[in-house]
Amino acid sequence: MGFKILAINPGSTSTKIAIFEDEKAILTHTLRHSAEEIARFPHIIDQLEWRKEMILDALKSKNIDVKSLAAVIGRGGLVKPIESGVYEVNEALKNDLTHAQREHASNIGGLIAEQIAREAGVKAYIADPVVVDELQDVARISGLPECPRISIFHALNQKAIARRHAAKIGKRYEDLNLIVAHMGGGISVSAHCKGRVIDTNNALDGDGPFAPERAGTVPAGSLVSLCFSGKYTQPQIVKMLAGKGGLVAHLGKNSVQEICEKDIAGGDKHSKEVLDAMSYTISKAIGAMAVVLKGQVDAILLTGGVAYNEPVNEVIREHCSFLAPIVIYPGEDEMEALALNALGVLKGEMTPKVYA
């Protein structure tokens, strides 16, 4: 029998759980949460007990005894900037997850993991949260001292895909220069230099390519005018940047698959124009990261749910194939990435870091 690991990934309208036995998933399950259910809770932290009990009930219904677990790992939240790696959930981490800088469902991943791990008599971990910060110093400086550039990106999936690619070609991640574009509801494009992400766009609230739900970089003067037009409140502007920007703002939908298979296939020229523009901004970001790596790029990796859509990939190929080979790893298997990080600790291949 191998190590049995529970991985937990809370999202805004769902909680994904998976049981892995070593590298193999033996159970995957998604708990759906309606808008009405979520609306009962003023803050995400208030959902902690509710989501935990749902997970425990689901495990019980699948005849999974928590006492059989070797470790529990949850998706990391918006804590302070930290190095890439696996972190044991300690009191300092619990405090910063509870009082996170911003509301996000991922904040309760580590907290749920810690409570279930306590019942199981094992340790709880998080790995590669979105606040992983390995930026080189020059990448932090913007044109306004009051607005430094910060590292918020899809660290968990990007790091996992980069390592998978390295293993596939028989090399170490730490020996490669890679550009990884995670293309989901938000899009992050990052320069991986010998195992460290030395530059990336803030994929959360207004930097880089526009995305299915994010506005990305927009003309600063126009944004200032919008803010002071008197037409919108601050929360409305924030939502326009993250949640109702990008494809949602232009086309009223965030599904790239639907846009490709229904709208564009049906002859909708505007939908094609907007999707091509999004793909174009991704391409420009990839080009910028090639400059960050001084042209020494071993491969460009496209990942995330949007990478399933060939019309997007093709535009990127047209613009970027001269830079380096483009390899597509569609989807975002965050559950496997979480489990493999915990497994690395259990096997003694990785040393958990201490959050302080």
Side-chain angles (χ1 to χ4, degrees):
M1 292 290 289
F3 291 111
K4 195 174 286 185
I5 299 160
L6 169 63
I8 302 169
N9 186 356
S12 56
T13 60
S14 68
T15 304
K16 296 177 183 178
I17 60 172
I19 298 288
F20 281 76
E21 202 163 272
D22 289 346
E23 297 92 350
K24 184 181 179 182
I26 60 173
L27 169 69
T28 59
H29 187 63
T30 300
L31 300 163
R32 305 287 179 185
H33 313 313
S34 69
E36 292 75 23
E37 288 176 310
I38 295 294
R40 294 186 291 124
F41 302 96
H43 302 287
I44 287 171
I45 191 66
D46 301 324
Q47 301 170 20
L48 174 58
E49 190 67 23
W50 173 64
R51 292 211 198 201
K52 183 195 80 172
E53 289 303 321
M54 287 185 72
I55 292 170
L56 290 173
D57 288 345
L59 293 177
K60 188 175 181 181
S61 72
K62 304 291 184 182
N63 297 316
I64 301 291
D65 182 1
V66 296
K67 297 289 186 183
S68 68
L69 298 175
V72 186
I73 186 163
R75 185 179 174 198
L78 291 164
V79 292
K80 62 188 178 185
I82 56 177
E83 287 187 339
S84 173
V86 184
Y87 289 79
E88 185 177 339
V89 181
N90 59 14
E91 289 303 317
L93 182 54
K94 285 167 60 178
N95 179 73
D96 284 4
L97 287 170
T98 302
H99 305 96
Q101 54 184 299
R102 292 177 64 161
E103 290 262 312
H104 197 277
S106 62
N107 295 334
I108 58 175
L111 296 172
I112 297 172
E114 191 274 337
Q115 291 195 7
I116 294 177
R118 203 186 317 152
E119 289 190 32
V122 297
K123 291 184 176 180
Y125 304 97
I126 66 165
D128 287 335
V130 295
V131 292
V132 164
D133 185 350
E134 300 171 332
L135 295 187
Q136 55 185 346
D137 289 342
V138 70
R140 301 180 188 280
I141 301 171
S142 81
L144 289 175
E146 298 87 351
C147 302
R149 295 184 68 247
I150 60 175
S151 178
I152 296 183
F153 72 108
H154 301 89
L156 180 63
N157 189 50
Q158 282 209 20
K159 289 277 186 176
I161 290 300
R163 292 189 183 101
R164 183 193 300 181
H165 179 75
K168 178 182 175 183
I169 63 173
K171 294 189 177 181
R172 297 172 67 247
Y173 169 51
E174 292 78 12
D175 293 331
L176 296 173
N177 281 354
L178 303 168
I179 298 171
V180 185
H182 175 105
M183 305 183 296
I187 292 173
S188 59
V189 182
S190 309
H192 295 240
C193 180
K194 312 301 183 190
R196 295 179 65 82
V197 175
I198 62 172
D199 204 343
T200 189
N201 62 292
N202 177 346
L204 182 62
D205 59 4
D207 185 26
F210 75 82
E213 298 176 352
R214 312 279 164 80
T217 300
V218 296
S222 299
L223 180 58
V224 171
S225 297
L226 203 64
C227 291
F228 288 91
S229 67
K231 297 179 182 178
Y232 308 99
T233 64
Q234 181 178 342
Q236 286 174 323
I237 294 287
V238 169
K239 198 68 176 175
M240 290 167 74
L241 294 177
K244 293 186 176 180
L247 298 183
V248 171
H250 284 283
L251 304 176
K253 57 185 70 174
N254 63 4
S255 171
V256 175
Q257 182 179 356
E258 182 181 343
I259 292 167
C260 289
E261 295 179 358
K262 293 185 179 179
D263 303 333
I264 295 176
D268 186 335
K269 292 182 180 179
H270 179 58
S271 292
K272 184 178 188 312
E273 213 170 49
V274 172
L275 190 68
D276 283 352
M278 185 185 82
S279 307
Y280 174 72
T281 63
I282 298 168
S283 302
K284 288 204 296 183
I286 290 171
M289 293 305 159
V291 172
V292 169
L293 294 171
K294 302 174 183 176
Q296 303 300 306
V297 184
D298 293 298
I300 298 164
L301 313 181
L302 306 183
T303 184
V306 173
Y308 282 111
N309 298 279
E310 193 54 28
V312 173
N313 298 336
E314 188 54 38
V315 171
I316 296 171
R317 282 195 199 96
E318 288 174 4
H319 287 89
C320 301
S321 58
F322 74 97
L323 294 169
I326 296 175
V327 187
I328 299 171
Y329 294 93
E332 44 187 295
D333 200 343
E334 293 179 325
M335 308 308 286
E336 181 183 28
L338 287 170
L340 290 179
N341 274 284
L343 182 63
V345 172
L346 292 170
K347 286 186 171 181
E349 298 167 355
M350 301 171 71
T351 301
K353 297 181 179 179
V354 178
Y355 184 90

